[in-house]
């Protein structure tokens, strides 16, 4: 099993300075495809996005493998190359993390393992690898870059309240 990130997830983790936190919380290896690398790093640097330079350093520092795969057969199912590669890597043995609702639904409809970034952090809070306060701070950061929605934040807060009530019983 391995984690696979799509482009938007890498960008959100970098913009919110949560990449290192994420790396510390994962149990399985993390990989990305060359399409995601091209979109985030190569294209980002060509457009002089500071996040691209930061993302490149983080990927190198954490020795994240960039896998080259042929996406041509499945490209018609998805909006772009990064989503397609995430789907293929998840199909082969992994869980794709995305904050793109449309891509998430497609992954699930295709029978692939996928999770939203906010849900990943929620699960780590439930596993007690994050405190509730840390989780709430993460949600605020994710919301600031549109990686989660107020509706989702309310959902997670309600779930945490329910969990506390269960623990008291």
């Amino acid at each position: 099993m391995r984690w696979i990130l799509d482009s938007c997830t890498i960008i959100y983790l970098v913009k919110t300075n949560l990449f290192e936190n994420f790396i510390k919380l994962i149990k399985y290896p993390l990989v990305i495809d060359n399409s995601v690398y091209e979109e985030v790093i190569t294209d980002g640097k060509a457009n002089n996005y500071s996040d691209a330079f930061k993302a490149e350093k983080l990927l190198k520092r954490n020795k994240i493998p960039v896998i080259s795969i042929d996406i041509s057969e499945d490209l018609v199912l998805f909006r772009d190359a990064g989503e397609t590669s995430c789907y293929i890597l998840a199909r082969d043995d992994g869980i794709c993390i995305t904050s793109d609702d449309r891509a998430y639904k497609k992954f699930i409809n295709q029978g692939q393992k996928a999770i939203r970034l906010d849900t990943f952090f929620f699960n780590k809070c439930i596993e007690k690898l994050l405190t509730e306060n840390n989780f709430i701070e993460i949600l605020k950061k994710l919301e600031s870059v549109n990686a989660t929605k107020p509706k989702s934040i309310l959902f997670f807060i309600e779930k945490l309240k329910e969990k506390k009530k269960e623990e008291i019983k």
Side-chain angles (χ1 to χ4, degrees):
M1 187 63 65
R2 59 190 175 181
W3 292 107
I4 299 105
L5 302 182
D6 67 358
S7 300
C8 69
T9 302
I10 293 173
I11 292 166
Y12 291 148
L13 287 169
V14 170
K15 283 184 177 289
T16 57
N17 293 315
L18 291 171
F19 193 89
E20 297 287 355
N21 297 52
F22 173 80
I23 293 295
K24 290 175 187 173
L25 293 170
I26 59 175
K27 294 178 186 175
Y28 307 119
L30 171 63
V31 299
I32 62 170
D33 170 66
N34 61 325
S35 300
V36 169
Y37 187 89
E38 291 279 324
E39 186 177 340
V40 175
I41 309 302
T42 308
D43 296 348
K45 287 170 67 175
N47 288 304
N48 209 27
Y49 296 143
S50 61
D51 294 335
F53 296 92
K54 187 174 177 182
E56 182 178 42
K57 287 178 186 173
L58 289 165
L59 292 173
K60 282 182 182 177
R61 182 180 327 140
N62 290 286
K63 299 178 177 121
I64 307 304
V66 179
I67 299 172
S68 182
I69 58 172
D70 179 13
I71 62 169
S72 59
E73 285 185 33
D74 295 301
L75 190 56
V76 296
L77 293 172
F78 295 94
R79 177 175 68 179
D80 64 26
E83 288 174 6
T84 306
S85 68
C86 198
Y87 163 77
I88 292 169
L89 289 171
R91 182 182 65 200
D92 291 343
D93 181 34
I95 303 169
C96 183
I97 300 182
T98 186
S99 294
D100 183 319
D101 290 335
R102 197 171 57 77
Y104 175 81
K105 288 175 186 170
K106 283 186 180 181
F107 294 145
I108 298 301
N109 289 337
Q110 293 292 325
Q112 299 309 310
K113 293 178 184 172
I115 188 170
R116 290 181 172 95
L117 187 57
D118 53 6
T119 304
F120 170 85
F121 284 113
F122 174 72
N123 290 342
K124 296 307 172 185
C125 182
I126 295 299
E127 294 170 17
K128 303 218 184 284
L129 296 173
L130 286 173
T131 67
E132 189 174 321
N133 287 340
N134 287 349
F135 174 61
I136 299 300
E137 287 303 312
I138 288 170
L139 286 177
K140 289 177 184 176
K141 288 179 179 185
L142 293 175
E143 183 184 25
S144 74
V145 295
N146 299 314
T148 193
K149 301 172 185 84
K151 178 178 156 183
S152 297
I153 294 171
L154 289 174
F155 171 81
F156 291 126
I157 290 172
E158 286 302 314
K159 287 293 182 187
L160 289 174
K161 286 180 184 177
E162 289 173 18
K163 181 103 171 111
K164 278 184 184 177
K165 285 180 184 176
E166 288 175 19
E167 289 173 357
I168 292 173
K169 290 180 183 179

